[in-house]
Amino acid sequence: MHQTFDAALEINLLHANQDGADHNRAHFEEWGIVCVNLMSSPGAGKTQLLERTLQALNPECKMAVIEGDMTTELDAERLRQYGVPVIAINTGRACHLDSKMVAGGIHSLSHEHDPASLDLVWVENVGNLVCPAEFEVGEHAKVALLSVTEGEDKPLKYPIMFREADCLIITKTDLTPYLEIDLERIKANVRQVNPQVPIFAVSTKTLEGFEGWLQWVRQLIVQKGVCV
Amino acid sequence: MHETDMTRALILTLQDWWESQPEPPTISKVHLTVGNFTCVEPASLQFAFTVQTQNTFLAGAELVIRETPLIAFCHPCQKEYKPDIGVQYACPDCQSPMEDIRSGRELKINRLEYALLGQPQIQETL
Ligand SMILES: Nc1nc2c(ncn2[C@@H]2O[C@H](COP(=O)(O)OP(=O)(O)OP(=O)(O)O)[C@@H](O)[C@H]2O)c(=O)[nH]1
Ligand SMILES: [Mg+2]
Ligand SMILES: [Zn+2]
C-alpha cells in the first residue's frame, strides 16, 4: 500500500484568469485608462451601441475597442469607420473572452498606438449570456445588454451576468410596439438579482434613452479620475 | 462548451502545483466545491475533466465535486432563504431583492489527494 497525502489548495478554480485580469487592469491604470466589458447574448446590440457611442463621445473622449468576435472581422470593420483603434481578437471557438486573450489585445494596442493617450477602452465580449460573467478580463465595469426581443424571463434564467453587471442596457426599445413585452417586468426581474444596478432603456435606432447611457459613461470616466 | 475552459483552468492550476513539488506526485483525487449559482454544470465538468486529462499527469485522477446550494440572506426579515433558481430570487416572505449571497457562488479547488510512487507513468503536462 502506498501512503496517500493531502494537499490543501483552497484556491479559486479561475485563479489563473483572475491573476491575468488583475495584471491587465494594472496596465490600464498605469496608462490612465478605464476599461468597460460589454456582454450580452448574440445579437443583442453590442456593436451598434458601440457605433453610436463612439460617434457621440469622439473626440471628447479618446477611445479604443478590443473586439472579441468569434471568427470574423465583421464587427471590427464596422467600428473602424469611426476613426478609433480597433483590435480584433480572434477567439476561435471560445465562448467568452478571458484575461489572456485580452492581454494579447492590450499588447497589440500598446505597440500600434499610444496607450497613454487613451481614456477609455471598450471590450466587446463574445455573444453569450452564460459564461462571460465568470471570466474577468481586467475591466473596471461590466455592462450587460438585454434586447426587448429576448423576453422578460432572461434575467431569471441567466442570472449571473445580470447579478454581476454594473450597468444594464435594455436595447431595441423601438421594437416594443411590435412585441408583447413589459419593460417594467424586465427591470423588476433584473432588480431581483441586482437591486441597485442602473438600468437604461435605449434604442440605438431612434436614440431614445441614449443620453442617459452617455451620462453614465461620462460619470464612470470622471469617477475613475481620467479624462476630466 | 465553457466547461472545457473551466476544466482547462483547473488543469493549469493543478499543473502549477504539480510542477512545484520536489518529486512528481501521482494525484488520485481532486476535491472541488461548485456552487449552484455559478455557470458551471458539475456533470459537464466531470465529463470534460475525464476527456481532457487523458494522457496527462492527471490521467485517472478522480474529480470529487461538492455542490453548494444558493442561499441568500434577507435583511428586512433577518433570515436566510433558498431562492428558486430560474424562477424567483426575491425573498419569498417580503419580496426584497436578493442582496447578500451566503452560499452558491463557490468555484473552488479545496484539496488534492496524492501518492508518491516514484516516477509516475505519464508525465505529460498541457
Ligand atoms: N430596431 C433596432 N435594431 C437594433 C438595435 N440595436 C441593434 N439592432 C440590430 O440588431 C442586430 C444585431 O446588432 P449587433 O449590434 O450586431 O449585435 P451584437 O450584440 O454586437 O451581436 P454579436 O456581436 O454578433 O453578438 C443588427 O441588425 C442591428 O442593426 C436597436 O436599438 N433597434
Ligand atoms: Mg457584435
Ligand atoms: Zn424578506
Side-chain angles (χ1 to χ4, degrees), chain B residues 74 76-77 91 93-96:
Chain B
C74 178
C77 299
C91 172
D93 294 331
C94 74
Q95 306 302 319
S96 293

Side-chain angles (χ1 to χ4, degrees), chain A residues 32-200:
Chain A
I33 292 173
V34 177
C35 175
V36 178
N37 187 356
L38 293 179
M39 302 181 289
S40 78
S41 58
K46 299 177 293 298
T47 307
Q48 192 155 310
L49 180 79
L50 271 179
E51 293 185 271
R52 299 287 162 270
T53 308
L54 295 177
Q55 245 172 349
L57 294 180
N58 199 8
E60 165 195 342
C61 182
K62 299 272 175 289
M63 295 172 283
V65 180
I66 295 179
E67 176 56 58
D69 204 343
M70 295 196 82
T71 44
T72 69
E73 285 254 343
L74 290 177
D75 282 359
E77 289 302 326
R78 266 165 77 188
L79 295 169
R80 284 202 179 101
Q81 52 178 313
Y82 300 96
V84 305
V86 179
I87 306 292
I89 308 179
N90 192 322
T91 56
R93 289 194 308 273
C95 54
H96 57 264
L97 289 175
D98 63 25
S99 59
K100 206 170 166 186
M101 295 176 196
V102 171
I106 295 174
H107 189 80
S108 310
L109 195 65
S110 67
H111 278 257
E112 296 160 29
H113 307 276
D114 172 20
S117 71
L118 294 171
D119 305 310
L120 180 57
V121 168
W122 299 100
V123 173
E124 181 179 339
N125 220 306
V126 181
N128 178 346
L129 267 187
V130 184
C131 330
E134 298 279 25
F135 290 83
E136 269 197 35
V137 299
E139 69 273 38
H140 295 92
K142 292 184 173 67
V143 173
L145 285 72
L146 177 67
S147 62
V148 291
T149 52
E150 290 172 74
E152 295 151 357
D153 56 350
K154 293 308 165 292
L156 303 178
K157 286 188 181 165
Y158 303 94
I160 312 282
M161 181 175 296
F162 299 100
R163 169 83 184 179
E164 297 292 323
D166 299 295
C167 174
L168 179 91
I169 305 183
I170 300 173
T171 60
K172 310 191 189 181
T173 54
D174 57 287
L175 298 177
T176 37
Y178 310 102
L179 305 162
E180 278 187 38
I181 188 127
D182 179 356
L183 276 184
E184 292 312 310
R185 187 85 240 134
I186 300 181
K187 290 182 190 171
N189 285 345
V190 170
R191 292 242 150 85
Q192 276 199 45
V193 293
N194 194 348
Q196 263 92 47
V197 69
I199 300 179
F200 301 103

Side-chain angles (χ1 to χ4, degrees), chain A residues 2-16 70 93-96 98 100-101 128 130-131 133-135 153 155-160 163-164 189 191-196, chain B residues 1-2 5-10 12-14 17 28 32-34 37-40 45 85-90 96-101 105 107-117:
Chain A
H2 297 286
Q3 193 182 348
T4 308
F5 301 93
D6 240 45
L9 263 65
E10 300 295 340
I11 49 174
N12 195 288
L13 219 144
L14 297 174
H15 183 77
M70 295 196 82
R93 289 194 308 273
C95 54
H96 57 264
D98 63 25
K100 206 170 166 186
M101 295 176 196
N128 178 346
V130 184
C131 330
E134 298 279 25
F135 290 83
D153 56 350
L156 303 178
K157 286 188 181 165
Y158 303 94
I160 312 282
R163 169 83 184 179
E164 297 292 323
N189 285 345
R191 292 242 150 85
Q192 276 199 45
V193 293
N194 194 348
Q196 263 92 47
Chain B
M1 198 177 352
H2 64 275
D5 290 349
M6 287 286 177
T7 308
R8 203 183 145 73
L10 168 64
L12 288 174
T13 307
L14 297 175
W17 175 85
S28 55
L32 304 184
T33 306
V34 172
F37 197 63
T38 63
C39 71
V40 176
L45 194 65
I85 296 179
V87 180
Q88 186 181 321
Y89 301 89
S96 293
M98 178 171 73
E99 197 103 40
D100 288 357
I101 292 179
R105 285 293 283 143
L107 274 180
K108 206 169 174 191
I109 308 170
N110 299 105
R111 62 188 184 91
L112 308 175
E113 289 178 47
Y114 65 98
L116 296 170
L117 307 171

Side-chain angles (χ1 to χ4, degrees), chain B residues 1 4-5 7 9 11-12 15 21 31 42 53 55 58 62 68-69 89 94 98 100 117 119 122-123:
Chain B
M1 198 177 352
T4 312
D5 290 349
T7 308
I11 295 173
L12 288 174
Q15 188 171 311
Q21 299 304 300
H31 294 265
T53 54
N55 302 315
L58 284 164
E62 186 189 341
T68 50
Y89 301 89
C94 74
M98 178 171 73
D100 288 357
L117 307 171
Q119 291 298 306
I122 308 170
Q123 294 209 34

